[in-house]
Amino acid sequence: MADELWEYRMSKFSPAYEMLAENLQAQGINIEVVKAALKEQAIETPSWGYANSGTRFKAFPWPGAAVTTHQKIDDAAVVHKMTGIAPSVAIHIPWDKPEDGDYVAMREYAEEKGVRIGAVNPNVFQDEEYRLGSFGNPSPEVQMRALEHMLECCDIMERTQSDILSLWFADGTNYAGQDSLRGRKRRFEENLRQVYAHLPENGRLLLEYKFFEPAFYATDVPDWGTSYAFCLKLGERAQVLVDLGHHAQGVNIEQIVAFLLGEGRLGGFHFNNRKYADDDLMVGTVNPFELFLIYCELSSAAFGDHEPGRSTARKVAYMIDQSHNIEGKIAPMILSVLNCQDAYAKSLIVPAARLAEAQSAGEVLEAHHILAEAFRTDVRPLLAQVHLEMSVPADPLAAYHASGYEEQIRKERGVSATSGGYQ
Ligand code: RM4
Ligand code: MN
Ligand code: MN
């Protein structure tokens, strides 16, 4: 970056940053530690978030939306270039199956672009055969088909050097009596066991839960407790994945996070935001306070002394799982990453010692106030400073809009036809 530009930006942000830094230091917060943590933050973006997607009713095509996996990787690389904290991209198989089947080449392409392949997401919900489910299906042949796909995904992990197999199942039943609930549980257990046995050496299996949709009477992995119980049986490298859109109204997600951290079984997140159901809106847009509280659990575990919470928090895979239907593709992904950065920053400036003191003294109001004050702090000058120190644009969203990338892909890729929901 040209020196004058650097100086101009420093002069623009410095006074606000200096004030904030001083204020935080006075509260006993080491700003250098906070900045170092922010620089290490990593949020994985999903390949499918760059392609056209829609609701059950309509998928509106977005000009320039990615179609090929190379294009999705290109877009993920742009998000990383702008933010500096989105170094990997999750893939969905078969949506991202390379035409020539060459996954090593896919990995190399990503590396060339400056990102790596993250979680591998098997898809066992879109083939005709899966009408009655995959692992829970009463037919042994269909279960086998799903298992074979999972094992193929374990192999893809090896070839892409991914260390996460991320599982979500559309399995369940719509009507009482449709199938045996205990039978389905047994089938799940047995098939998951086989997948676990085939994981690459350092690979982790993350198991997502969802309390409804597309099954409405019973889903086979309905909640974190079920996922946790399956993981316990599988082994240490099986952990729960929390998708923020997969809970009933009013559920205290930060408490789930706290429990799973304490048990060493929180594996990862699918970040998004919801108002009613699995809305897949941009993370931090509906309820930023909830996101902050979730990050507070993660930060206090990661920087605390308790094991296994501390090491578990440090290995959590932060992934975005969103569906951008009317707001563009790359810009909302940048904003989502920034929303996570904002929440993380606020969680890092909670004065932990003062909070612990208030908590143990039973000072209810004071404890709440300390937390709320951190949430209310305007951390934008701090984030701008971190961006400058990381040599990424101080304002990544504005820089993206000014970069000309959107115009370029619109011209090059045009508008691709859409059919239904996910493409
Ligand atoms: C599910 C779940 C999965 C995602 C699918 C498409 O609701 O969140 O993670 O891969 O949608
Ligand atoms: Mn998800
Ligand atoms: Mn979902």
Side-chain angles (χ1 to χ4, degrees):
M1 188 188 312
D3 284 352
E4 298 125 65
L5 190 56
W6 173 267
E7 266 170 37
Y8 165 74
R9 286 188 171 163
M10 289 299 279
S11 68
K12 198 166 162 206
F13 291 103
S14 225
Y17 168 69
E18 296 301 336
M19 260 175 69
L20 178 62
E22 222 177 275
N23 188 342
L24 295 175
Q25 305 271 26
Q27 293 183 57
I29 292 156
N30 185 336
I31 194 85
E32 293 308 320
V33 171
V34 171
K35 284 196 293 182
L38 285 165
K39 289 174 196 170
E40 274 174 24
Q41 190 181 13
I43 310 282
E44 182 163 306
T45 69
S47 67
W48 55 97
Y50 300 105
N52 278 328
S53 60
T55 66
R56 285 189 293 128
F57 306 104
K58 166 79 180 160
F60 295 102
W62 189 262
V67 178
T68 66
T69 304
H70 277 193
Q71 290 170 348
K72 295 173 195 170
I73 291 173
D74 291 346
D75 295 354
V78 168
V79 173
H80 183 46
K81 198 170 141 209
M82 295 293 158
T83 62
I85 57 163
S88 61
V89 53
I91 55 171
H92 224 294
I93 307 297
W95 296 340
D96 292 315
K97 210 171 196 145
E99 264 170 33
D100 56 3
D102 192 345
Y103 286 95
V104 174
M106 179 199 270
R107 168 173 62 77
E108 287 167 352
Y109 183 81
E111 280 165 7
E112 252 167 58
K113 296 283 165 173
V115 288
R116 55 183 175 74
I117 303 295
V120 175
N121 292 250
N123 180 323
V124 286
F125 51 87
Q126 278 187 317
D127 296 355
E128 284 301 314
E129 287 80 358
Y130 297 135
R131 189 167 50 91
L132 300 179
S134 58
F135 278 0
N137 199 299
S139 149
E141 287 77 38
V142 178
Q143 289 175 50
M144 184 54 75
R145 180 191 180 92
L147 182 59
E148 271 163 14
H149 177 58
M150 297 277 180
L151 301 191
E152 181 195 346
C153 286
C154 289
D155 189 45
I156 294 170
M157 285 172 75
E158 303 262 19
R159 285 187 271 162
T160 55
Q161 289 174 5
S162 158
D163 54 6
I164 290 182
L165 185 71
S166 191
L167 305 185
W168 175 70
F169 295 91
D171 283 59
T173 49
N174 265 357
Y175 296 97
Q178 177 189 323
D179 197 358
S180 154
L181 295 177
R182 283 186 297 120
R184 292 186 79 93
K185 173 179 173 288
R186 273 197 305 273
R187 293 169 214 152
F188 252 85
E189 238 172 72
E190 176 50 26
N191 286 304
L192 284 173
R193 209 176 50 76
Q194 304 248 28
V195 179
Y196 188 80
H198 284 86
L199 278 180
E201 214 179 320
N202 296 316
R204 284 191 283 166
L205 179 160
L206 305 191
L207 182 56
E208 198 168 344
Y209 55 91
K210 185 173 182 181
F211 76 116
F212 81 111
E213 196 203 25
F216 292 106
Y217 170 68
T219 48
D220 289 335
V221 191
D223 52 30
W224 70 269
T226 309
S227 172
Y228 174 66
F230 279 139
C231 289
L232 279 184
K233 278 202 173 164
L234 291 174
E236 271 185 0
R237 287 181 296 131
Q239 294 176 304
V240 180
L241 186 147
V242 177
D243 182 312
L244 300 191
H246 293 189
H247 307 86
Q249 298 285 10
V251 165
N252 186 331
I253 301 175
E254 55 272 23
Q255 188 181 22
I256 297 171
V257 169
F259 185 93
L260 292 173
L261 280 171
E263 293 299 319
R265 293 290 174 156
L266 181 72
F269 280 95
H270 269 180
F271 281 141
N272 50 54
N273 219 163
R274 57 82 68 98
K275 178 80 176 158
Y276 295 103
D278 189 24
D279 306 339
D280 283 339
L281 302 176
M282 284 182 285
V283 58
T285 53
V286 180
N287 192 348
F289 189 53
E290 180 184 66
L291 184 63
F292 162 74
L293 295 174
I294 289 168
Y295 264 111
C296 283
E297 293 306 326
L298 291 153
S299 296
S300 66
F303 293 97
D305 307 320
H306 295 284
E307 287 294 359
R310 184 181 159 93
S311 43
T312 306
R314 287 168 183 243
K315 277 203 286 216
V316 164
Y318 297 93
M319 302 175 275
I320 287 177
D321 180 15
Q322 294 176 178
S323 180
H324 308 131
N325 302 333
I326 56 169
E327 65 272 57
K329 303 289 168 191
I330 300 165
M333 201 64 88
I334 291 173
L335 186 57
S336 304
V337 171
L338 295 176
N339 285 349
C340 292
Q341 188 176 48
D342 181 274
Y344 185 40
K346 288 174 173 173
S347 75
L348 290 169
I349 61 165
V350 172
R354 261 206 310 136
L355 179 62
E357 240 171 69
Q359 288 173 341
S360 56
E363 300 279 4
V364 177
L365 193 62
E366 179 62 8
H368 171 72
H369 185 64
I370 289 171
L371 208 60
E373 280 297 287
F375 176 66
R376 288 193 194 100
T377 306
D378 183 356
V379 292
R380 285 175 297 182
L382 167 64
L383 298 183
Q385 179 69 25
V386 168
H387 295 163
L388 287 169
E389 291 181 18
M390 290 178 79
S391 300
V392 298
D395 183 343
L397 197 55
Y400 173 68
H401 287 310
S403 72
Y405 187 76
E406 191 88 19
E407 292 72 25
Q408 181 199 324
I409 56 174
R410 277 179 193 215
K411 213 181 296 154
E412 284 171 13
R413 301 176 188 169
V415 181
S416 81
T418 63
S419 49
Y422 278 97
Q423 316 267 304

